[in-house]
Amino acid sequence: MSKKTTQNLVTISLLALALALFVFPGFKAVVIRGLMKAGLFQPKVTAIKALPPDAAASSVQFTTATGETHTPESLKGKVVFINFWATWCPPCIAEMPAINELYASFKDNPGIVFLLVDADQDLPKATSFIKEKQFNLPVSGFRGAVPASWYGGTLPTTVVLDKAGSVVYQHEGAADFSNKKFREFLEKLL
């Protein structure tokens, strides 16, 4: 093969890859997941200065697909991992395996609650998506106003509340939450 033919094939391959990233959200999620495993998209696990419980949070309710209802008041005394996501969001899909792994390591601990909040408010669709992907994650919807200090509209967004209901961690964008440092961060909060 000539040098020019090789260059053309490389150019076509790169263009096809770039096009696939824009056209196929699942492919984009696979690429992001691969970058996570390569060490990118690691969450910074230093806690932010605990923000006092947001008065606006008192009006929000989270309802799980199994019918449980959680309010900020009912969650006090527990560490709360909240992830806002959507089924169409490639970075959300990319971080799901890591969140599933994190959830599996804490699911039997009564001191921590996981809320995977479907930003589209379509619980049947979100639940079906989670089952189809073979994740064991607790899907939730919400009623009322979610405080802006928790979620400003960027997907995915992850928030951790301490036992007092204060925001101690907030991250916008995909991240590998299954890493050792993040697990240790949650264990310290327990």
Side-chain angles (χ1 to χ4, degrees):
M1 230 188 292
S2 73
K3 185 176 181 179
K4 187 168 182 137
T5 303
T6 303
Q7 287 174 336
N8 286 341
L9 286 174
V10 169
T11 301
I12 290 169
S13 297
L14 289 174
L15 288 172
L17 177 65
L19 183 62
L21 287 171
F22 288 105
V23 176
F24 303 108
F27 180 70
K28 185 175 183 179
V30 168
V31 170
I32 293 170
R33 190 174 309 129
L35 293 172
M36 283 180 183
K37 292 302 175 190
L40 298 175
F41 300 106
Q42 298 300 309
K44 293 180 182 175
V45 291
T46 53
I48 61 174
K49 182 181 177 190
L51 302 172
D54 193 326
S58 63
S59 69
V60 70
Q61 292 183 348
F62 298 100
T63 304
T64 68
T66 60
E68 292 177 83
T69 299
H70 299 285
T71 64
E73 189 61 37
S74 73
L75 293 169
K76 285 197 177 161
K78 297 179 186 283
V79 173
V80 185
F81 178 98
I82 305 171
N83 179 264
F84 295 93
W85 68 286
T87 59
W88 50 264
C89 166
C92 302
I93 296 165
E95 73 178 1
M96 284 288 169
I99 294 174
N100 193 62
E101 189 178 324
L102 179 69
Y103 174 71
S105 65
F106 284 100
K107 71 178 181 181
D108 295 326
N109 187 327
I112 188 166
V113 173
F114 282 76
L115 298 172
L116 273 81
V117 181
D118 176 32
D120 287 337
Q121 294 289 69
D122 189 344
L123 263 159
K125 180 179 178 183
T127 302
S128 176
F129 176 86
I130 292 294
K131 286 180 183 174
E132 176 186 313
K133 298 292 182 184
Q134 298 180 343
F135 297 135
N136 188 25
L137 295 166
V139 180
S140 301
F142 65 91
R143 283 181 280 185
V146 175
S149 62
W150 293 11
Y151 175 60
T154 300
L155 292 175
T157 294
T158 301
V159 174
V160 175
L161 307 177
D162 66 9
K163 292 179 180 182
S166 299
V167 174
V168 293
Y169 179 85
Q170 200 245 14
H171 179 86
E172 293 179 339
D176 181 2
F177 291 107
S178 67
N179 75 37
K180 183 180 176 183
K181 286 184 180 180
F182 194 79
R183 287 177 200 227
E184 290 172 352
F185 169 74
L186 289 180
E187 287 168 0
K188 286 179 185 175
L189 293 172
L190 291 168

